Amino acid sequence: MEAMKAKAPGLYLVPIEFVDEAERQADHFGRDNLGAKGNHSAVSYPLQQVVTWFGAHPEA
């Protein structure tokens, strides 16, 4: 995330927001409790969106 912010924060605004959401979800559910049912999905979904975004934006 630091690399995205340093390189071009405007270009990477969408994936940065997804990473921020994953961080918020991890904080909400507790980082030590991510293995519980549903908690892992709440954090992994925004991260999957980051991967999808980079797949759609190969120039980034």
Side-chain angles (χ1 to χ4, degrees):
M1 190 153 110
E2 295 300 321
M4 289 187 292
K5 287 181 179 178
K7 185 175 179 182
L11 173 63
Y12 297 112
L13 184 62
V14 172
I16 288 171
E17 284 298 316
F18 284 130
V19 173
D20 286 343
E21 177 61 22
E23 291 277 335
R24 284 190 294 275
Q25 292 295 333
D27 290 340
H28 173 74
F29 289 109
R31 293 173 186 267
D32 294 334
N33 196 27
L34 294 179
K37 185 177 181 180
N39 296 357
H40 180 266
S41 296
V43 174
S44 67
Y45 181 73
L47 298 178
Q48 291 171 3
Q49 295 299 95
V50 172
V51 173
T52 300
W53 187 91
F54 276 105
H57 299 85
E59 70 281 357

